[in-house]
Amino acid sequence: MLLALLTATLAQATCGACSAEGRAYQVYAAEARAASAEDHPENAYLFAADVHEELATISGERPGVVRPFRVGTSGADRPIWALRLVDPAVPARGTLLVFANIHALEWVPTEVAVAFALDFAAAPIPGVEIVLIPSLNVDGRALVEEDLRAGRNVYRRGNAARVDLNRDFAVNRESRAIWKALIPGRYVVSPAPLSQPESRALDALADAERFDAAVSLHAFGGFFYSPWAGRWERPADHAEFGRLGGLMQNAMVNHPYRPRQLSRWGFVFRGLGMELDHLYGSYGTYAFLVETTRSGVETLADLGSNFRIYNPRDPGPHAREGVRYLRALATEVASGRVQARGAP
Ligand SMILES: [Zn+2]
């Protein structure tokens, strides 16, 4: 407790140039650090305290470039933090939303998000304003942390209420696919549109900011997925999605992911109520769902670990690739050529 108080006071003292919310974030990160052991299982990965320590550090060092703010509160009352990343010397010609870790066990996405924030802080891209949420499903992530510390191997996808946030959005919740009657398990959806505080926080942010482009970072698969996820038809902007997906693909060095419309992942598959359809269908945002990595399985034994299936032993190469494709998309948005034009 005394340690937490001391670190919090120190954090406050070291960021004179930060905004009030920036200072609140410094305090939050310092308290999280004091409450959490630095040594933990899966030490190649950032636990929540490590995430906030990294991000609070760059926000303290570059308060004009990295501006933390709260986008909402989780079902279990945890703050959901975001960073606004800008080059303050240049007016923004476009806006980009990057968010990660909608699925509890998918941690590579957070590694990508943090790496991109660090990269941007070191070398800001002029002309783009980015909102970055390192973890949207903060409660699900916290439960996975507890599992890892206790040596438990639990499959977790949803939030604290066990709702899959990836099926909790408002657009394309119904499917007319004839396969629905045959394979109902492929067509699951949450109890009601925007039923969870985490998805409502994301929607409120998207509604207020009307981002030109967005990326939801998941694992695993190796695709740049575009809308529609819940309908077989091509969207009106299919060609532009292909162009932007191609830009990200070309920015990668090793085994580049391919762009694809998500509903065409498999003939009988439809992703209902998904975040990319919601952002595109509600706000005209060029929204992608990126399946980072091609799974973490390297040995037969890995198949028995829920964490490992999603998260390779070393997230480093995947984080570096993530920086490349996110930088490519952000640079294109900064050109002003990518403009959300309202609901299609
Ligand atoms: Zn996922």
Side-chain angles (χ1 to χ4, degrees), residues 83-138:
L83 303 178
R84 194 178 298 279
L85 303 167
V86 288
D87 180 343
V90 181
R93 286 181 291 270
T95 55
L96 171 65
L97 170 66
V98 177
F99 57 107
N101 196 204
I102 254 192
H103 285 139
L105 269 167
E106 298 176 14
W107 284 28
V108 173
T110 298
E111 300 286 329
V112 171
V114 172
F116 182 57
L118 265 53
D119 182 77
F120 191 98
I125 301 164
V128 63
E129 185 168 321
I130 299 166
V131 171
L132 180 139
I133 304 173
S135 171
L136 186 70
N137 185 3
V138 288

Side-chain angles (χ1 to χ4, degrees), residues 212-280:
D212 293 311
V215 173
S216 177
L217 294 163
H218 285 250
F220 56 86
F223 280 101
F224 296 110
Y225 282 125
S226 55
W228 302 110
R231 300 208 313 241
W232 181 259
E233 294 81 12
R234 294 292 191 199
D237 297 295
H238 182 66
E240 179 68 349
F241 276 110
R243 187 182 75 85
L244 297 172
L247 283 176
M248 290 192 278
Q249 180 182 28
N250 291 336
M252 293 182 70
V253 172
N254 295 309
H255 309 294
Y257 311 154
R258 281 171 293 160
R260 181 181 284 185
Q261 182 174 334
L262 184 41
S263 63
R264 305 208 173 193
W265 174 80
F267 195 56
V268 298
F269 176 84
R270 301 289 184 279
L272 301 182
M274 286 176 65
E275 65 271 29
L276 75 170
D277 280 12
H278 185 83
L279 294 171
Y280 177 57

Side-chain angles (χ1 to χ4, degrees), residues 137-159:
N137 185 3
V138 288
D139 294 344
R141 188 186 182 86
L143 289 168
V144 173
E145 282 199 11
E146 286 175 27
D147 294 337
L148 290 174
R149 287 190 198 281
R152 286 189 302 257
N153 181 23
V154 184
Y155 178 75
R156 294 189 193 275
R157 185 174 170 92
N159 65 356

